Amino acid sequence: MEPLVALVGTTCLALIIGACGVHRLRRLPTALRGGLAVMFLLTGGAHFVGMRDELVAMVPPALPAPGLLVTVTGIAEIVAALALLPRRTAAPAAGLLTFLLIAMFPANVYAADTAETWWDELIPRTLTQLVFLAATTTVLVDRGRAELSRRWQGLRPPPDAPRSPATPGRSNAAEPDRPPGTGRV
């Protein structure tokens, strides 16, 4: 429940700050990057402090070295959380976190068998994971679109650039390497 509160609370706070004049935080994908970063710093830190024993116990018995798996996923969550903040690394970070959410879902199913509270049961856990996946996917798609747009803009000439003489529908009379009036045949 705490990770969901961290995600929603931080995202809403970023959107409010954006509405108050910090233009970079106005867009939902940008606010989600902040919310996801806080959430995954919280959950990644729990892999080492506070909940480590519970997280090790969540690893299904069929998987080897539960302590090592918890350590590796904790490091991955912390590194990816920090990488969400710069625009340049947000897409790979969101991709890694999306993968981790899917890969760690069996641990949530296994942990739901011993749920002590209603929010630890399978349906609430699954719905919460879907919210997290929607958030990471939103960031991944947004950053992917931004990268494609940036690359596309690099292929197009600036709007004020002179058009190429070979452009269909244009006269070739003004080509600098030919005398006027000697257009192509």
Side-chain angles (χ1 to χ4, degrees):
M1 182 67 84
E2 292 86 353
L4 181 62
V5 171
L7 172 63
V8 172
T10 305
T11 302
C12 287
L13 180 62
L15 288 171
I16 290 168
I17 292 170
C20 290
V22 180
H23 297 290
R24 287 187 174 196
L25 296 178
R26 282 190 170 175
R27 296 182 60 245
L28 178 61
T30 305
L32 278 171
R33 285 175 28 214
L36 285 166
V38 168
M39 183 191 88
F40 279 107
L41 284 172
L42 175 74
T43 60
H47 285 68
F48 303 99
V49 179
M51 290 187 60
R52 182 170 178 80
D53 293 338
E54 291 92 336
L55 292 172
V56 170
M58 281 177 62
V59 177
L63 296 175
L68 178 62
L69 289 174
V70 168
T71 299
V72 169
T73 56
I75 291 169
E77 286 182 25
I78 291 169
V79 168
L82 295 173
L84 279 170
L85 299 175
R87 275 187 247 154
R88 186 169 285 176
T89 56
L96 173 62
L97 291 170
T98 300
F99 170 77
L100 284 173
L101 287 167
I102 293 167
M104 293 188 299
F105 186 71
N108 284 292
V109 173
Y110 181 72
D113 286 342
T114 60
E116 296 178 11
T117 58
W118 69 269
W119 62 79
D120 282 333
E121 293 176 6
L122 185 58
I123 291 177
R125 277 181 177 272
T126 302
L127 294 174
T128 303
Q129 290 293 105
L130 289 174
V131 170
F132 298 159
L133 280 169
T136 58
T137 303
T138 298
V139 171
L140 183 60
V141 168
D142 178 68
R143 290 288 82 215
R145 283 183 180 167
E147 179 62 22
L148 284 174
S149 176
R150 185 186 67 76
R151 287 184 183 180
W152 177 251
Q153 290 299 323
L155 296 175
R156 296 171 54 196
D160 59 344
R163 297 188 81 180
S164 167
T167 303
R170 300 269 313 215
S171 168
N172 292 327
E175 291 184 31
D177 58 338
R178 295 179 189 255
T182 62
R184 281 187 270 185
V185 182

